[in-house]
Amino acid sequence: MKLILLGAPGAGKGTQAEIISEQYGIPTISTGNIIRAALKNGTEMGLKAKSYIDAGELVPDEVVIGIIKERLSEPDCQNGYILDGFPRTIPQAEALDNMGFAIDAALSIEVPDDEIVKRMSGRRVCEKCGASYHTAYKKPEKDGVCNLCGGDLVIRKDDEPETVKNRLHVYHEQTEPLKAYYQNCGKLFTVQGQEEVADTTRLVLAELEKLI
Ligand code: ADP
Ligand code: ZN
């Protein structure tokens, strides 16, 4: 299965991606995680991306297209993949089509803006391994500590309220048009994001069943 997850920042794409990954045995490819890892390692690409990310803007298309092209060529992507956070613009979607990595479906997780703003304030990530948590919806076993590696849980700089507002604006302007793009080729599926992660997962898996 080759799947794109669409949705506003904080709609729960990453969480659902992890669950689908496990269920179907295919990797999740998150451009956000790849860029943050590059940033942490101080690579040239990471340094270039930093000012965009911190401002809640999109990293230039050619940078993320390069990242995806390289990643999708790796052997673990042979049997399928879940794209979390790519494409985010029409040119990125067109580039993906032109790369020859055809996708089966784009699944959009719909969450209203006011709900997004509320959720983002509780979002935490592991400083060490990047795993994500939420103070209300996805609590770690021990407060402030990563279940997977014991690292400290922190607020991502781009999850600060002012930056979140800009990211939502960018989402509506640049990413939401992708829904029409995939609708036009009959590949768009939609679910309403629920308060409980497990409830959203049920809806997501029901949609994926239709594809098999
Ligand atoms: P979220 O999952 O909250 O939407 P991500 O972790 O996917 O956020 O992305 C964080 C930031 O990384 C984005 O705000 C953007 O600056 C950059 N980024 C990630 N993916 C892309 C992409 N496909 N195109 C442009 N910028 C991207
Ligand atoms: Zn961790």
Side-chain angles (χ1 to χ4, degrees):
M1 180 169 49
K2 294 170 180 167
L3 181 69
I4 291 171
L5 288 182
L6 291 175
K13 297 186 298 289
T15 306
Q16 296 302 328
E18 277 173 38
I19 297 167
I20 305 166
S21 261
E22 195 151 319
Q23 189 105 351
Y24 288 87
I26 50 177
T28 290
I29 295 155
S30 155
T31 38
N33 284 349
I34 295 173
I35 297 167
R36 277 187 294 276
L39 230 165
K40 216 171 133 196
N41 294 328
T43 68
E44 200 187 317
M45 186 269 280
L47 292 175
K48 243 193 258 171
K50 183 173 165 40
S51 58
Y52 297 101
I53 294 201
D54 286 352
E57 299 289 340
L58 295 183
V59 173
D61 285 338
E62 59 276 16
V63 176
V64 282
I65 289 167
I67 292 174
I68 279 291
K69 209 170 194 167
E70 214 169 274
R71 183 63 188 87
L72 291 183
S73 310
E74 286 176 32
D76 65 330
C77 292
Q78 291 298 316
N79 297 324
Y81 37 79
I82 302 155
L83 298 181
D84 165 22
F86 183 96
R88 252 178 162 99
T89 64
I90 298 281
Q92 290 179 21
E94 289 170 346
L96 184 64
D97 285 343
N98 293 334
M99 278 178 217
F101 300 109
I103 61 126
D104 301 315
L107 183 71
S108 177
I109 304 177
E110 303 284 325
V111 177
D113 281 10
D114 51 349
E115 183 64 25
I116 295 278
V117 173
K118 241 192 293 173
R119 283 189 192 189
M120 296 289 256
S121 64
R123 200 148 93 150
R124 300 289 181 272
V125 301
C126 172
E127 211 172 30
K128 243 163 102 185
C129 76
S132 61
Y133 297 87
H134 194 281
T135 52
Y137 307 117
K138 197 184 170 197
K139 293 184 189 169
E141 279 154 26
K142 197 171 156 221
D143 267 357
V145 181
C146 178
N147 293 349
L148 302 176
C149 78
D152 284 336
L153 302 186
V154 297
I155 300 180
R156 246 164 64 181
K157 191 163 171 214
D158 60 340
D159 282 345
E160 306 283 353
E162 272 316 301
T163 315
V164 167
K165 276 192 206 136
N166 194 39
R167 289 167 70 195
L168 272 173
H169 175 74
V170 168
Y171 169 73
H172 290 303
E173 292 271 301
Q174 302 197 50
T175 307
E176 212 163 19
L178 290 176
K179 288 199 277 184
Y181 182 92
Y182 289 111
Q183 178 88 63
N184 286 340
C185 54
K187 289 183 174 171
L188 184 73
F189 295 78
T190 304
V191 300
Q192 302 298 322
Q194 305 294 306
E195 188 143 330
E196 293 289 330
V197 170
D199 292 334
T200 306
T201 301
R202 247 190 303 283
L203 297 175
V204 165
L205 294 179
E207 289 301 317
L208 297 185
E209 285 298 315
K210 296 182 192 167
L211 295 172
I212 293 166

